[in-house]
Amino acid sequence: MDKIGRYQILGLLGEGAMAKVYKAVDERIDRVVALKMLQFREGMTDEMIQQLKDRFVHEAKLAGKLTHPNIVTIFDAEEEDGVSYMAMEYVDGRTLESLIDGEGEMTVEQQINLMIQVCQGLDYAHKHDIIHRDIKPGNIILTTDEVPKIMDFGIAKISTSNTTVMGTILGTPGYMSPEQITGKSVDHRTDLFAAGAVFYEMLTKQKAFPGTSLTEIMYRVVSENPVPPFVSNSSIPEPLSDAVIRAMHKNPAERYQSGAEFAKRLIAIKEQLTHPDKTDNFKARGIRKDDWKSSIGQLFDNRIVGIISFVWAVLATFGWMYLLISGSGGGSRIAKRMSEERPASIVISMNVTDAEILIDGELFKADDAIFKLDSIGVGERRFVIRRENYRSYETAVVFGKGEFKRIDAKLELLPVEIPKGSDTSYISLKSNPDMVRVETSYGKFLGFTPIDSLAFPGGKYTLVFSKNSYATKKRDVALRKNKVTPIVQNLEKLRGMVSLTKMIPDNALLFVGGKRMAKIGRSNMYSVEVGDQVAVIKAEGYDDLTRQLPIRFGDTLSLSDSLRPQYGAVLVQSNPTGAEIFIDESDISVGKAPIYVPRLLANSHRLKAVYRNEKKSQFFKIEKNDTVITKVLFANPNGFLEITTEPAGAEIYLNTARDGDYKSPATRELRPGFYKVRLVHPQFKKFYEATIRVRPDAVSDITYKFEN
């Protein structure tokens, strides 16, 4: 095709599954445009084609309302001779996806500037009540001047619309928000989540939510937080890292509430990076610009190095700095102010689950073996980790601004007092999982597993093994004098029930953590480990449904969703032709073969064909949006004779009789045997004659060129 409407096509720019994009010229105003033209795959039903056209018009209507330097402009949308197309702004550039994949490098400042513009484009769309819902690197194109433009509003929605169906998932999983993945109603903040994921990938060259399967990616989006960008790339400033992480918060209320707010934060970070002499002194350290002439302000006014160089001359100032770093007295309050913009943080891993943690005397109680503190003042901090029956763990850690530290605290189990007159025995305890609490039936605490050769009074005991979310186990042991008794105990996770008895279809299956769960008996009930589980409900011929399930011990969670059907089609042929065709268990014929049957559920089907007194049955499987061809071969099949002449239009005689009104070229279905074939053309005196054999379910051919 060289032209459509008033557009002269110059060449192909790209091709997707459902559309081609051409470079073209609007001959009316001599403007170069990108022409997006729908294409339909073979086998698509009329309904599928109409849905695609509706989506195409939907994109043109929504994006056509938007005029912004960071959004690709839609100029025109038309349909001609059954071909739908839209003319849009031609951008001579590359996608952000190609940039991330290695075609060129950008500095952190350049990347910030690019994302500021993306946020401004999104803010403009959101103010016009349009949510994109598929922000990803491939849908952002960069001009030669590195100006980003958002494109492809194909699955966008109007924010005031109530047409979103619960359980429906649209978008690209690695960039979709948790609420979008779980099929909940979404607002403009889902685009800000996606923008954060895109920015994360720009900065780190890694996916925010990596995975080798769709299920794994969705699980990470819903259940896991991404690794902070500065951990993957040490050149990324922590304020920028924090800004990206905030954009991808699981709770929409904790994200930026508008594209303008996200852009404003990035502008502030950019200013801090490009003018550190201004921002470090006043904002990052928590000291107001208006107070810069104060003695504290003068101290931090880019003269710390000079002050330290003349430390003997300014001993009093050095002493004040020591208080600041050590965290003593009023200095700790100043240190806290310094770290407000870029707080230090710490993670403490322990071999007990209920320790008390003192940080400079301030008490914190851990309710797990991992303790996290997201904000801690700069300077030296003293840690004391204690738990009854264990020797306290003490250490000191020096924190810089925005620094992340980790402590692995292994508390040593104190020896058990052996009463006078009692035998001394030893016990070693291991468990699956680790970190199981062990005590006697009368409440004597032994410790958390693993425990190696603990001295304990000899005798008979009932040990109790317990851990949150696991079923408690009891075990009788006999400890002998001077002997080591090794014990290995397995605990089972507590479980709740999930019922799919109200699901549509009724043969839906439950997958948790990528594994298919086993049904309980013949019911559609499943036993699932307690906790917040990401589940996928599947059925052959239907789209998967992902749900986050809060599983509680002893409770039954009943699901009553409907899965979205997938459809395909079948072309049924028979030999001999004309067989009556029945699909599945229906007693009503769909017609005679050859016949095209659209809109069949995308799974396995049973086909029954009847020709005269003969019946044939076979199975075929349909894939989503695909057309399968199946052929039924009866006991006495016909053969086929293909006749081609040059020129066309020769009359066909079989065994001296005129073969109806057939003229070449023609394909004739014939009973097997020998045939005398005569070809007579009205433009030539000579005719052609030959004897040919037609074999069962085979094709014989005649090709002849007439000459005078």
Side-chain angles (χ1 to χ4, degrees):
M1 183 182 294
D2 296 326
K3 186 177 181 181
I4 186 167
R6 65 176 190 267
Y7 300 98
Q8 182 69 40
I9 296 175
L10 302 179
L12 183 66
L13 293 175
E15 183 174 358
M18 296 299 176
K20 291 183 178 180
V21 181
Y22 297 91
K23 184 178 181 180
V25 174
D26 184 341
E27 294 182 331
R28 186 176 299 171
I29 56 176
D30 197 27
R31 174 170 60 190
V32 177
V33 299
L35 206 62
K36 184 174 181 180
M37 198 177 300
L38 272 185
Q39 60 177 358
F40 308 117
R41 291 185 300 158
E42 184 178 351
M44 292 182 69
T45 65
D46 292 342
E47 182 181 2
M48 294 161 59
I49 291 172
Q50 189 57 50
Q51 287 177 353
L52 191 59
K53 286 184 176 181
D54 290 345
R55 176 172 162 179
F56 194 73
V57 172
H58 174 77
E59 176 182 3
K61 284 182 177 179
L62 289 188
K65 298 178 182 179
L66 305 177
T67 304
H68 189 274
N70 299 119
I71 297 175
V72 170
T73 303
I74 303 295
F75 299 128
D76 186 21
E78 293 288 349
E79 182 172 334
E80 182 175 301
D81 296 331
V83 178
S84 299
Y85 64 91
M86 74 171 73
M88 51 192 178
E89 177 185 0
Y90 171 70
V91 180
D92 185 12
R94 54 183 174 165
T95 64
L96 182 56
E97 184 177 36
S98 65
L99 176 66
I100 293 173
D101 288 344
E103 296 181 15
E105 294 291 335
M106 298 181 77
T107 65
V108 171
E109 288 81 0
Q110 287 174 318
Q111 293 178 76
I112 292 174
N113 188 56
L114 189 151
M115 187 49 60
I116 288 171
Q117 296 177 74
V118 171
C119 290
Q120 290 169 340
L122 285 175
D123 190 65
Y124 177 85
H126 296 162
K127 286 179 178 177
H128 285 73
D129 297 325
I130 294 173
I131 307 165
H132 190 285
R133 295 199 296 177
D134 197 20
I135 294 296
K136 59 183 178 181
N139 282 342
I140 299 172
I141 191 167
L142 308 179
T143 69
T144 52
D145 297 326
E146 304 296 356
V147 175
K149 289 179 177 283
I150 303 167
M151 57 183 181
D152 198 351
F153 283 75
I155 64 169
K157 66 170 277 190
I158 300 173
S159 61
T160 54
S161 170
N162 293 317
T163 58
T164 299
V165 179
M166 293 296 289
T168 300
I169 298 178
L170 292 172
T172 305
Y175 308 94
M176 292 163 63
S177 64
E179 62 269 24
Q180 196 172 355
I181 280 182
T182 53
K184 298 177 182 177
S185 181
V186 300
D187 59 22
H188 63 280
R189 292 172 294 187
T190 196
D191 285 347
L192 302 181
F193 182 97
V198 169
F199 199 14
Y200 184 103
E201 195 171 339
M202 287 172 57
L203 293 168
T204 65
K205 302 292 186 180
Q206 298 175 12
K207 304 283 188 185
F209 304 99
T212 56
S213 68
L214 187 64
T215 300
E216 183 182 359
I217 293 170
M218 288 182 167
Y219 175 82
R220 289 182 184 274
V221 172
V222 173
S223 304
E224 296 182 0
N225 292 320
V227 176
F230 77 87
V231 174
S232 302
N233 183 350
S234 58
S235 68
I236 299 171
E238 282 195 53
L240 182 58
S241 179
D242 294 341
V244 176
I245 292 297
R246 179 184 170 189
M248 294 184 289
H249 202 287
K250 306 297 184 197
N251 183 358
E254 299 295 330
R255 296 175 206 152
Y256 299 102
Q257 298 303 292
S258 68
E261 184 185 359
F262 195 178
K264 183 178 179 181
R265 180 64 187 129
L266 295 178
I267 291 170
I269 294 170
K270 179 183 175 184
E271 181 70 13
Q272 182 178 340
L273 294 176
T274 53
H275 300 93
D277 55 324
K278 295 180 181 179
T279 55
D280 280 352
N281 293 326
F282 306 132
K283 187 172 183 179
R285 290 188 170 91
I287 300 175
R288 292 178 299 158
K289 185 172 180 179
D290 295 337
D291 297 335
W292 72 276
K293 290 186 178 180
S294 68
S295 58
I296 296 176
Q298 291 177 12
L299 174 65
F300 285 94
D301 192 17
N302 285 331
R303 283 178 273 179
I304 293 177
V305 176
I307 291 170
I308 295 175
S309 300
F310 294 93
V311 64
W312 298 108
V314 286
L315 188 58
T317 304
F318 181 82
W320 181 87
M321 289 182 64
Y322 175 79
L323 291 176
L324 172 67
I325 297 173
S326 66
S328 303
S332 64
R333 289 190 296 271
I334 298 173
K336 184 178 180 181
R337 293 181 69 194
M338 286 178 60
S339 61
E340 283 177 352
E341 190 66 27
R342 295 176 61 188
S345 57
I346 189 168
V347 170
I348 303 174
S349 301
M350 299 165 286
N351 59 338
V352 298
T353 62
D354 52 0
E356 293 183 340
I357 301 171
L358 289 96
I359 305 176
D360 291 340
E362 185 177 355
L363 179 63
F364 298 86
K365 290 190 176 182
D367 55 8
D368 201 352
I370 303 294
F371 176 79
K372 298 179 180 180
L373 195 60
D374 295 329
S375 180
I376 189 169
V378 298
E380 183 180 89
R381 296 282 171 263
R382 296 199 62 80
F383 292 81
V384 178
I385 303 169
R386 66 192 186 193
R387 202 244 182 243
E388 188 180 3
N389 300 109
Y390 284 84
R391 185 169 284 110
S392 295
Y393 178 96
E394 299 185 22
T395 189
V397 180
V398 177
F399 291 90
K401 184 171 64 173
E403 193 171 10
F404 169 78
K405 292 293 181 75
R406 177 183 291 275
I407 296 176
D408 291 318
K410 302 299 181 184
L411 278 65
E412 181 183 348
L413 190 61
L414 293 174
V416 176
E417 183 179 348
I418 308 295
K420 290 183 179 180
S422 297
D423 293 334
T424 299
S425 59
Y426 300 89
I427 186 169
S428 292
L429 296 161
K430 294 182 179 180
S431 66
N432 182 20
D434 283 338
M435 213 80 68
V436 169
R437 177 190 176 98
V438 186
E439 58 189 352
T440 65
S441 57
Y442 56 83
K444 174 62 178 177
F445 177 78
L446 276 73
F448 290 92
T449 59
I451 299 171
D452 185 35
S453 300
L454 174 69
F456 204 78
K460 294 183 178 181
Y461 301 91
T462 298
L463 300 184
V464 181
F465 298 80
S466 60
K467 185 179 177 72
N468 285 339
S469 299
Y470 287 82
T472 299
K473 291 282 188 179
K474 293 183 179 181
R475 185 163 178 174
D476 293 330
V477 298
L479 306 182
R480 295 186 176 87
K481 180 180 178 180
N482 296 330
K483 297 289 186 180
V484 178
T485 302
I487 295 175
V488 178
Q489 182 65 54
N490 295 323
L491 297 188
E492 294 181 356
K493 229 6 186 5
L494 293 174
R495 307 180 80 85
M497 300 293 294
V498 176
S499 170
L500 300 187
T501 55
K502 296 181 180 179
M503 286 293 302
I504 299 175
D506 57 9
N507 64 339
L509 301 173
L510 183 68
F511 291 75
V512 176
K515 296 181 180 178
R516 176 177 168 177
M517 307 303 292
K519 291 183 180 181
I520 298 176
R522 295 185 177 181
S523 68
N524 213 357
M525 303 278 289
Y526 300 83
S527 174
V528 181
E529 292 181 354
V530 299
D532 291 334
Q533 304 283 5
V534 175
V536 180
I537 303 159
K538 300 184 177 186
E540 188 177 17
Y542 295 82
D543 288 338
D544 294 349
L545 174 64
T546 300
R547 291 280 302 272
Q548 186 165 8
L549 306 180
I551 308 300
R552 302 293 178 257
F553 175 61
D555 291 346
T556 297
L557 183 63
S558 181
L559 304 181
S560 56
D561 298 274
S562 296
L563 301 187
R564 184 177 181 180
Q566 302 170 348
Y567 294 106
V570 63
L571 175 61
V572 183
Q573 301 172 337
S574 71
N575 189 356
T577 59
E580 291 282 357
I581 303 300
F582 303 83
I583 303 294
D584 296 327
E585 304 305 319
S586 176
D587 293 328
I588 300 175
S589 170
V590 296
K592 293 186 177 182
I595 185 170
Y596 175 79
V597 185
R599 200 171 173 76
L600 287 175
L601 203 61
N603 59 17
S604 297
H605 295 271
R606 179 175 177 268
L607 180 148
K608 183 174 73 173
V610 179
Y611 184 78
R612 295 180 179 173
N613 295 323
E614 187 177 359
K615 297 179 181 179
K616 288 281 187 176
S617 293
Q618 60 192 53
F619 291 88
F620 61 93
K621 185 173 182 179
I622 292 179
E623 301 294 337
K624 180 180 178 181
N625 297 335
D626 197 10
T627 298
V628 65
I629 300 175
T630 187
K631 183 178 179 180
V632 182
L633 193 64
F634 288 92
N636 298 302
N638 291 330
F640 298 89
L641 176 61
E642 289 186 353
I643 300 172
T644 306
T645 64
E646 185 181 340
E651 296 176 348
I652 301 171
Y653 292 80
L654 298 177
N655 295 333
T656 70
R658 178 77 169 90
D659 186 26
D661 294 328
Y662 287 104
K663 294 182 179 181
S664 64
T667 298
R668 300 290 292 116
E669 181 177 350
L670 302 172
R671 298 294 300 164
F674 290 90
Y675 291 84
K676 180 182 286 186
V677 180
R678 177 180 293 181
L679 303 178
V680 178
H681 201 288
Q683 298 178 12
F684 298 89
K685 293 181 179 180
K686 293 183 178 180
F687 59 85
Y688 171 81
E689 191 171 85
T691 299
I692 193 164
R693 183 178 183 181
V694 175
R695 300 178 183 274
D697 197 38
V699 177
S700 303
D701 66 282
I702 294 175
T703 302
Y704 181 72
K705 183 178 180 180
F706 285 95
E707 295 178 347
N708 287 320

PDB file of all heavy atoms in Angstrom, residues 314-334:
ATOM      1  N   VAL A 314      40.918  25.996  67.361  1.00  0.00           N
ATOM      2  CA  VAL A 314      39.478  26.111  67.625  1.00  0.00           C
ATOM      3  C   VAL A 314      39.033  24.886  68.412  1.00  0.00           C
ATOM      4  O   VAL A 314      38.141  24.154  68.020  1.00  0.00           O
ATOM      5  CB  VAL A 314      38.692  26.247  66.307  1.00  0.00           C
ATOM      6  CG1 VAL A 314      38.846  27.611  65.707  1.00  0.00           C
ATOM      7  CG2 VAL A 314      39.098  25.162  65.299  1.00  0.00           C
ATOM      8  N   LEU A 315      39.694  24.607  69.509  1.00  0.00           N
ATOM      9  CA  LEU A 315      39.431  23.419  70.301  1.00  0.00           C
ATOM     10  C   LEU A 315      37.986  23.375  70.783  1.00  0.00           C
ATOM     11  O   LEU A 315      37.367  22.314  70.826  1.00  0.00           O
ATOM     12  CB  LEU A 315      40.381  23.386  71.508  1.00  0.00           C
ATOM     13  CG  LEU A 315      40.350  22.093  72.345  1.00  0.00           C
ATOM     14  CD1 LEU A 315      40.676  20.888  71.471  1.00  0.00           C
ATOM     15  CD2 LEU A 315      41.340  22.200  73.496  1.00  0.00           C
ATOM     16  N   ALA A 316      37.452  24.530  71.120  1.00  0.00           N
ATOM     17  CA  ALA A 316      36.066  24.557  71.602  1.00  0.00           C
ATOM     18  C   ALA A 316      35.101  24.098  70.508  1.00  0.00           C
ATOM     19  O   ALA A 316      34.164  23.343  70.764  1.00  0.00           O
ATOM     20  CB  ALA A 316      35.694  25.969  72.062  1.00  0.00           C
ATOM     21  N   THR A 317      35.345  24.557  69.263  1.00  0.00           N
ATOM     22  CA  THR A 317      34.493  24.148  68.155  1.00  0.00           C
ATOM     23  C   THR A 317      34.612  22.656  67.897  1.00  0.00           C
ATOM     24  O   THR A 317      33.629  21.966  67.642  1.00  0.00           O
ATOM     25  CB  THR A 317      34.861  24.924  66.882  1.00  0.00           C
ATOM     26  OG1 THR A 317      34.762  26.301  67.163  1.00  0.00           O
ATOM     27  CG2 THR A 317      33.930  24.549  65.737  1.00  0.00           C
ATOM     28  N   PHE A 318      35.854  22.143  67.983  1.00  0.00           N
ATOM     29  CA  PHE A 318      36.062  20.713  67.784  1.00  0.00           C
ATOM     30  C   PHE A 318      35.294  19.917  68.836  1.00  0.00           C
ATOM     31  O   PHE A 318      34.705  18.877  68.543  1.00  0.00           O
ATOM     32  CB  PHE A 318      37.555  20.391  67.855  1.00  0.00           C
ATOM     33  CG  PHE A 318      37.861  18.932  67.624  1.00  0.00           C
ATOM     34  CD1 PHE A 318      37.941  18.408  66.353  1.00  0.00           C
ATOM     35  CD2 PHE A 318      38.053  18.084  68.710  1.00  0.00           C
ATOM     36  CE1 PHE A 318      38.211  17.080  66.152  1.00  0.00           C
ATOM     37  CE2 PHE A 318      38.329  16.752  68.508  1.00  0.00           C
ATOM     38  CZ  PHE A 318      38.412  16.240  67.235  1.00  0.00           C
ATOM     39  N   GLY A 319      35.318  20.410  70.065  1.00  0.00           N
ATOM     40  CA  GLY A 319      34.569  19.740  71.124  1.00  0.00           C
ATOM     41  C   GLY A 319      33.083  19.707  70.813  1.00  0.00           C
ATOM     42  O   GLY A 319      32.403  18.707  71.053  1.00  0.00           O
ATOM     43  N   TRP A 320      32.593  20.820  70.287  1.00  0.00           N
ATOM     44  CA  TRP A 320      31.162  20.860  69.914  1.00  0.00           C
ATOM     45  C   TRP A 320      30.851  19.830  68.830  1.00  0.00           C
ATOM     46  O   TRP A 320      29.839  19.146  68.875  1.00  0.00           O
ATOM     47  CB  TRP A 320      30.837  22.269  69.411  1.00  0.00           C
ATOM     48  CG  TRP A 320      29.396  22.424  69.032  1.00  0.00           C
ATOM     49  CD1 TRP A 320      28.359  22.759  69.828  1.00  0.00           C
ATOM     50  CD2 TRP A 320      28.849  22.229  67.721  1.00  0.00           C
ATOM     51  NE1 TRP A 320      27.208  22.790  69.127  1.00  0.00           N
ATOM     52  CE2 TRP A 320      27.469  22.467  67.820  1.00  0.00           C
ATOM     53  CE3 TRP A 320      29.381  21.885  66.476  1.00  0.00           C
ATOM     54  CZ2 TRP A 320      26.634  22.387  66.739  1.00  0.00           C
ATOM     55  CZ3 TRP A 320      28.551  21.785  65.406  1.00  0.00           C
ATOM     56  CH2 TRP A 320      27.189  22.039  65.546  1.00  0.00           C
ATOM     57  N   MET A 321      31.761  19.698  67.829  1.00  0.00           N
ATOM     58  CA  MET A 321      31.578  18.707  66.769  1.00  0.00           C
ATOM     59  C   MET A 321      31.623  17.296  67.332  1.00  0.00           C
ATOM     60  O   MET A 321      30.890  16.407  66.896  1.00  0.00           O
ATOM     61  CB  MET A 321      32.653  18.860  65.690  1.00  0.00           C
ATOM     62  CG  MET A 321      32.494  20.102  64.827  1.00  0.00           C
ATOM     63  SD  MET A 321      33.729  20.184  63.556  1.00  0.00           S
ATOM     64  CE  MET A 321      33.314  18.768  62.602  1.00  0.00           C
ATOM     65  N   TYR A 322      32.469  17.085  68.342  1.00  0.00           N
ATOM     66  CA  TYR A 322      32.543  15.758  68.948  1.00  0.00           C
ATOM     67  C   TYR A 322      31.204  15.386  69.571  1.00  0.00           C
ATOM     68  O   TYR A 322      30.715  14.268  69.452  1.00  0.00           O
ATOM     69  CB  TYR A 322      33.644  15.720  69.991  1.00  0.00           C
ATOM     70  CG  TYR A 322      33.682  14.405  70.746  1.00  0.00           C
ATOM     71  CD1 TYR A 322      34.257  13.273  70.175  1.00  0.00           C
ATOM     72  CD2 TYR A 322      33.121  14.303  72.012  1.00  0.00           C
ATOM     73  CE1 TYR A 322      34.275  12.075  70.852  1.00  0.00           C
ATOM     74  CE2 TYR A 322      33.134  13.102  72.691  1.00  0.00           C
ATOM     75  CZ  TYR A 322      33.723  11.991  72.110  1.00  0.00           C
ATOM     76  OH  TYR A 322      33.731  10.819  72.785  1.00  0.00           O
ATOM     77  N   LEU A 323      30.594  16.377  70.254  1.00  0.00           N
ATOM     78  CA  LEU A 323      29.270  16.129  70.839  1.00  0.00           C
ATOM     79  C   LEU A 323      28.254  15.802  69.749  1.00  0.00           C
ATOM     80  O   LEU A 323      27.390  14.947  69.909  1.00  0.00           O
ATOM     81  CB  LEU A 323      28.802  17.348  71.650  1.00  0.00           C
ATOM     82  CG  LEU A 323      29.575  17.619  72.937  1.00  0.00           C
ATOM     83  CD1 LEU A 323      29.051  18.914  73.563  1.00  0.00           C
ATOM     84  CD2 LEU A 323      29.434  16.475  73.923  1.00  0.00           C
ATOM     85  N   LEU A 324      28.372  16.524  68.631  1.00  0.00           N
ATOM     86  CA  LEU A 324      27.443  16.290  67.522  1.00  0.00           C
ATOM     87  C   LEU A 324      27.545  14.858  67.019  1.00  0.00           C
ATOM     88  O   LEU A 324      26.553  14.160  66.836  1.00  0.00           O
ATOM     89  CB  LEU A 324      27.742  17.274  66.390  1.00  0.00           C
ATOM     90  CG  LEU A 324      26.997  17.053  65.076  1.00  0.00           C
ATOM     91  CD1 LEU A 324      25.521  17.308  65.292  1.00  0.00           C
ATOM     92  CD2 LEU A 324      27.561  17.938  63.988  1.00  0.00           C
ATOM     93  N   ILE A 325      28.799  14.390  66.811  1.00  0.00           N
ATOM     94  CA  ILE A 325      29.004  13.053  66.241  1.00  0.00           C
ATOM     95  C   ILE A 325      28.689  11.977  67.257  1.00  0.00           C
ATOM     96  O   ILE A 325      28.103  10.950  66.945  1.00  0.00           O
ATOM     97  CB  ILE A 325      30.458  12.913  65.721  1.00  0.00           C
ATOM     98  CG1 ILE A 325      30.687  13.904  64.584  1.00  0.00           C
ATOM     99  CG2 ILE A 325      30.754  11.480  65.289  1.00  0.00           C
ATOM    100  CD1 ILE A 325      32.111  13.960  64.114  1.00  0.00           C
ATOM    101  N   SER A 326      29.066  12.188  68.514  1.00  0.00           N
ATOM    102  CA  SER A 326      28.856  11.157  69.525  1.00  0.00           C
ATOM    103  C   SER A 326      27.409  11.027  69.918  1.00  0.00           C
ATOM    104  O   SER A 326      26.980  10.032  70.480  1.00  0.00           O
ATOM    105  CB  SER A 326      29.689  11.458  70.775  1.00  0.00           C
ATOM    106  OG  SER A 326      29.215  12.644  71.403  1.00  0.00           O
ATOM    107  N   GLY A 327      26.600  12.047  69.661  1.00  0.00           N
ATOM    108  CA  GLY A 327      25.182  11.965  69.979  1.00  0.00           C
ATOM    109  C   GLY A 327      24.878  12.329  71.411  1.00  0.00           C
ATOM    110  O   GLY A 327      23.793  12.059  71.903  1.00  0.00           O
ATOM    111  N   SER A 328      25.814  12.927  72.145  1.00  0.00           N
ATOM    112  CA  SER A 328      25.575  13.270  73.535  1.00  0.00           C
ATOM    113  C   SER A 328      24.789  14.557  73.639  1.00  0.00           C
ATOM    114  O   SER A 328      24.955  15.479  72.853  1.00  0.00           O
ATOM    115  CB  SER A 328      26.913  13.430  74.268  1.00  0.00           C
ATOM    116  OG  SER A 328      27.684  12.249  74.161  1.00  0.00           O
ATOM    117  N   GLY A 329      23.938  14.638  74.664  1.00  0.00           N
ATOM    118  CA  GLY A 329      23.240  15.872  74.995  1.00  0.00           C
ATOM    119  C   GLY A 329      22.545  16.479  73.814  1.00  0.00           C
ATOM    120  O   GLY A 329      21.895  15.830  73.033  1.00  0.00           O
ATOM    121  N   GLY A 330      22.716  17.828  73.694  1.00  0.00           N
ATOM    122  CA  GLY A 330      22.044  18.559  72.628  1.00  0.00           C
ATOM    123  C   GLY A 330      22.579  18.215  71.270  1.00  0.00           C
ATOM    124  O   GLY A 330      21.918  18.410  70.272  1.00  0.00           O
ATOM    125  N   GLY A 331      23.833  17.682  71.211  1.00  0.00           N
ATOM    126  CA  GLY A 331      24.401  17.317  69.915  1.00  0.00           C
ATOM    127  C   GLY A 331      23.568  16.291  69.189  1.00  0.00           C
ATOM    128  O   GLY A 331      23.469  16.294  67.982  1.00  0.00           O
ATOM    129  N   SER A 332      22.953  15.351  69.938  1.00  0.00           N
ATOM    130  CA  SER A 332      22.151  14.321  69.274  1.00  0.00           C
ATOM    131  C   SER A 332      20.947  14.925  68.590  1.00  0.00           C
ATOM    132  O   SER A 332      20.491  14.429  67.574  1.00  0.00           O
ATOM    133  CB  SER A 332      21.710  13.276  70.301  1.00  0.00           C
ATOM    134  OG  SER A 332      20.867  13.870  71.266  1.00  0.00           O
ATOM    135  N   ARG A 333      20.406  16.015  69.141  1.00  0.00           N
ATOM    136  CA  ARG A 333      19.261  16.655  68.506  1.00  0.00           C
ATOM    137  C   ARG A 333      19.677  17.292  67.189  1.00  0.00           C
ATOM    138  O   ARG A 333      18.957  17.244  66.206  1.00  0.00           O
ATOM    139  CB  ARG A 333      18.669  17.709  69.449  1.00  0.00           C
ATOM    140  CG  ARG A 333      17.952  17.094  70.644  1.00  0.00           C
ATOM    141  CD  ARG A 333      17.163  18.144  71.414  1.00  0.00           C
ATOM    142  NE  ARG A 333      18.018  19.156  72.013  1.00  0.00           N
ATOM    143  CZ  ARG A 333      18.552  19.042  73.224  1.00  0.00           C
ATOM    144  NH1 ARG A 333      18.329  17.943  73.943  1.00  0.00           N
ATOM    145  NH2 ARG A 333      19.301  20.005  73.721  1.00  0.00           N
ATOM    146  N   ILE A 334      20.897  17.912  67.174  1.00  0.00           N
ATOM    147  CA  ILE A 334      21.391  18.504  65.922  1.00  0.00           C
ATOM    148  C   ILE A 334      21.680  17.408  64.905  1.00  0.00           C
ATOM    149  O   ILE A 334      21.374  17.522  63.724  1.00  0.00           O
ATOM    150  CB  ILE A 334      22.651  19.356  66.194  1.00  0.00           C
ATOM    151  CG1 ILE A 334      22.297  20.498  67.141  1.00  0.00           C
ATOM    152  CG2 ILE A 334      23.229  19.907  64.902  1.00  0.00           C
ATOM    153  CD1 ILE A 334      23.483  21.296  67.612  1.00  0.00           C
TER     154      ILE A 334
END
